[in-house]
Amino acid sequence: MTDGIWLRFLSGPEIDSLGLTRLEIVDAVEDAVREHGDGRTSFEPRVHLMPHNGGIGHFNVLRGHLDGLGEHGISGVKVVGDFVPNYQKGLPSELAMATLFDPTTGVPLAVLDATMITAARTGAMTTVGARYLARPDSKILAHAGARGTACWNVTMLDDLFDLDEIRVTSKRAESREKFAAELSVELSTPVRAMATAEEAFDGADVLVEATRLTEPEPLVRTAAVKPGAFVVPYGTISAVELDLLDVMDKVVVDDWREAQSGRFGSLRRHVDTGRLSPATLYAELGEIVAGRKPGRENDAERNLFWHRGLSLLDVAIAHLILRKAETANVGTMLRFH
């Protein structure tokens, strides 16, 4: 393969065979967030492609670059479909493809199934936020949502904390019961399936909302957020009460430009009504990870982290996968030019 331009194609099963650990993924995401805080990245807020399909789903297009990866940095693009009804066909709601490029020549380096990357980087970002904004002695994790990113959220947070209890809930009883059973096999922490989000979130130390609502519904009640709690609402459609930010000591986002862009997001109404603004925003997470601002400063703080999904994280994990695949000689080499 000395002639022409070749790239590496990596399928989902090939990526699974590389044996990436959850800690490797979380650390790669934290490094990317730190680069963002240090200003060593370049990216644009996601854009949405809306097919004429009756509103059953749309595509997100994400583009990003990190200076610190590879010889000259790495650039990448990911396209991910967001189709909530896919579970009815036995398909993930989010199917994704990522491409990596040499930023000095434009030469494509790899094409990857990014479905796992999409779910894993989201769970890893939740966990990086928790490293800096949650109480280290958090004991009760409550999670609403049982598909897509849910497993990564819960397992990565269980790795981080010495939890006493994990509570999971979702709209469909069969979904939450199955999720609880699967987690119970993998984790030693007791897992309980709760009938309602209100029950799950009541008095929890870490509250994660990753639901797949089609219309706004207040699942995270302001009154349920006790002093010291850490809240992560990132569902596509708002599932929080409008006055939730009023009780928060620190409100953190992954990127303020990203928070203002697009039609979707759990705190979309808060941005549109001015409740979340440069005046009320405490920091971007990168500022905290890079040491420019403190994270949690006492046990009583109520902190909230809203992340919409940075392209930088997709690029970072895709690059991690590519390096491992090159070492293990995994994947299919394809002639590009």
Side-chain angles (χ1 to χ4, degrees):
M1 291 182 288
T2 56
D3 297 329
I5 297 174
W6 294 76
L7 57 81
R8 189 177 299 267
F9 173 77
L10 288 159
S11 69
E14 288 170 331
I15 292 170
D16 292 342
S17 75
L18 296 173
L20 270 74
T21 67
R22 292 194 292 261
L23 181 59
E24 283 181 299
I25 294 170
V26 172
D27 286 347
V29 164
E30 183 169 1
D31 289 344
V33 172
R34 184 176 294 107
E35 283 204 47
H36 180 235
D38 284 334
R40 302 183 67 238
T41 64
S42 175
F43 75 101
E44 295 297 328
R46 72 179 61 199
V47 294
H48 304 294
L49 175 64
M50 311 291 293
H52 296 143
N53 58 16
I56 60 172
H58 65 278
F59 295 95
N60 302 303
V61 184
L62 300 91
R63 304 91 75 202
H65 168 86
L66 292 108
D67 289 350
L69 298 180
E71 276 189 63
H72 310 290
I74 291 290
S75 301
V77 178
K78 186 185 79 171
V79 179
V80 52
D82 193 349
F83 291 79
V84 174
N86 270 7
Y87 72 90
Q88 299 169 358
K89 300 180 180 180
L91 295 172
S93 58
E94 294 178 309
L95 291 164
M97 180 175 287
T99 51
L100 295 178
F101 301 88
D102 182 326
T104 64
T105 62
V107 168
L109 304 174
V111 176
L112 306 88
D113 177 347
T115 304
M116 179 278 283
I117 293 173
T118 299
R121 68 97 151 108
T122 306
M125 191 61 151
T126 298
T127 304
V128 172
R131 280 180 173 177
Y132 291 86
L133 294 166
R135 287 196 345 266
D137 64 345
S138 295
K139 294 297 182 183
I140 300 175
L141 164 63
H143 191 284
R147 289 181 285 124
T149 61
C151 185
W152 293 96
N153 277 327
V154 174
T155 55
M156 286 174 166
L157 288 169
D158 186 70
D159 291 340
L160 179 64
F161 298 114
D162 181 19
L163 296 171
D164 289 339
E165 180 183 27
I166 296 170
R167 305 171 185 168
V168 298
T169 189
S170 67
K171 185 175 182 179
R172 296 183 300 125
E174 61 270 30
S175 179
R176 60 179 176 263
E177 294 290 346
K178 179 183 178 184
F179 185 40
E182 291 171 345
L183 290 171
S184 295
V185 171
E186 184 168 355
L187 306 177
S188 59
T189 305
V191 182
R192 298 172 59 198
M194 313 295 284
T196 66
E198 184 176 9
E199 291 177 276
F201 288 138
D202 186 31
D205 299 306
V206 179
L207 299 77
V208 181
E209 179 278 309
T211 58
R212 309 290 290 167
L213 296 178
T214 56
E215 296 292 337
E217 180 183 348
L219 301 177
V220 183
R221 300 282 183 179
T222 304
V225 182
K226 68 178 185 179
F230 174 55
V231 182
V232 185
Y234 72 81
T236 302
I237 304 297
S238 177
V240 303
E241 290 191 309
L242 196 58
D243 65 353
L244 179 67
L245 300 193
D246 296 349
V247 303
M248 292 298 163
D249 293 286
K250 290 184 170 113
V251 177
V252 177
V253 298
D254 50 2
D255 181 82
W256 178 234
R257 282 192 311 157
E258 192 78 62
Q260 299 172 81
S261 71
R263 303 172 45 184
F264 303 108
S266 188
L267 300 187
R268 176 85 276 129
R269 290 186 304 161
H270 297 77
V271 173
D272 293 343
T273 60
R275 285 176 177 262
L276 181 57
S277 68
T280 59
L281 179 68
Y282 172 69
E284 295 178 339
L285 184 62
E287 296 177 276
I288 296 172
V289 174
R292 300 178 185 277
K293 288 186 177 182
R296 175 175 286 272
E297 296 178 89
N298 62 68
D299 287 345
E301 281 184 359
R302 293 180 177 96
N303 293 331
L304 181 146
F305 176 43
W306 178 34
H307 58 97
R308 296 203 59 214
L310 289 181
S311 59
L312 305 174
L313 315 184
D314 298 298
V315 175
I317 298 176
H319 181 261
L320 171 65
I321 290 169
L322 177 58
R323 293 285 85 87
K324 280 185 165 284
E326 290 172 339
T327 300
N329 194 26
V330 169
T332 303
M333 299 305 296
L334 301 176
R335 178 75 181 261
F336 172 74
H337 183 74

